[in-house]
Amino acid sequence: MNAEIVKHLVTQTLFSPRAAAERILALNLPRNWLWMALGLMSVLNGIVYSISLGLSPESDAQTVSMIPPAFRSPVLFTLFLFSALALTVAALTWVGRTLGGTGHVDQVLALIAWMQVLRLGVQVALLVFMLASPLGGLMLVIITSLWGLVILIAFIDRAHGFNNIFKSTVTLILAFLAMVIGLSTILSVLAAAFMGAA
């Protein structure tokens, strides 16, 4: 992909997510490439997160203690993010197929990997906005979070061939509930690893 194609795909994802999903799936990228892309995005997001931590004002001890260990360490944050993304792919695939969808792991993985590329761009923009205007940064978080859900639902709908936004939304909700259980386990493991390293 050259810069012009990527730019067009970003625009298409924002304003015509279903068509963008068609285009991404048509690439038929190998599964190992997609997992590597997901890993790379996790690392890059971890780096941006580390930078944001360095630029943030020091918090008081009580506030810091309320933050899970995985979110205080860039390395553990990266591991947590990759685990969360892998779990997202598995949950969306399994729940969607349970509800009659036809999507496969490779298809869901391709779409989630692309969303992480967009997320990285948002993280960088948010870093700049927060430095220039905290209120502007907060508005960006709200807008991108809501629109990200719209895009994700459209991606789920295309991946599973539902042609039914309601069923795609139910898939997302049930996958989220399954992930809460899985991520709680992952956080417990990472917290134990962090305490052990300390």
Side-chain angles (χ1 to χ4, degrees):
M1 284 190 181
N2 58 38
E4 192 61 34
I5 293 175
V6 172
K7 180 180 177 181
H8 184 266
L9 186 55
V10 169
T11 303
Q12 194 173 39
T13 302
L14 293 176
F15 299 104
S16 184
R18 190 177 174 84
E22 294 272 3
R23 191 171 176 183
I24 293 166
L25 296 179
L27 295 174
N28 290 316
L29 296 173
R31 181 181 295 188
N32 61 327
W33 287 18
L34 294 172
W35 281 117
M36 284 191 291
L38 204 65
L40 176 61
M41 288 302 105
S42 299
V43 171
L44 293 178
N45 272 288
I47 291 172
V48 173
Y49 176 74
S50 178
I51 294 172
S52 66
L53 281 182
L55 295 176
S56 300
E58 290 295 326
S59 302
D60 59 85
Q62 185 177 3
T63 302
V64 171
S65 66
M66 295 173 62
I67 302 174
F71 294 104
R72 280 182 258 157
S73 165
V75 174
L76 289 179
F77 174 81
T78 299
L79 292 174
F80 172 79
L81 179 58
F82 181 78
S83 299
L85 293 174
L87 190 58
T88 299
V89 171
L92 289 176
T93 303
W94 178 74
V95 173
R97 291 183 69 84
T98 300
L99 294 178
T102 58
H104 296 283
V105 169
D106 293 359
Q107 294 172 308
V108 176
L109 177 58
L111 297 176
I112 294 299
W114 173 245
M115 287 200 71
Q116 292 312 299
V117 174
L118 298 181
R119 182 180 185 274
L120 179 63
V122 170
Q123 288 290 97
V124 173
L126 182 60
L127 190 60
V128 174
F129 266 91
M130 283 298 190
L131 291 174
S133 170
L135 180 59
L138 179 60
M139 291 180 63
L140 180 63
V141 169
I142 295 172
I143 293 171
T144 55
S145 297
L146 291 176
W147 198 245
L149 284 176
V150 172
I151 293 171
L152 181 55
I153 290 171
F155 276 14
I156 293 170
D157 192 57
R158 171 58 191 86
H160 283 293
F162 288 138
N163 291 316
N164 186 323
I165 295 300
F166 174 75
K167 188 175 282 190
S168 301
T169 304
V170 171
T171 297
L172 179 59
I173 293 171
L174 293 178
F176 173 78
L177 293 176
M179 285 170 56
V180 167
I181 298 173
L183 290 177
S184 297
T185 303
I186 293 170
L187 273 175
S188 298
V189 172
L190 289 177
F194 180 84
M195 294 300 292

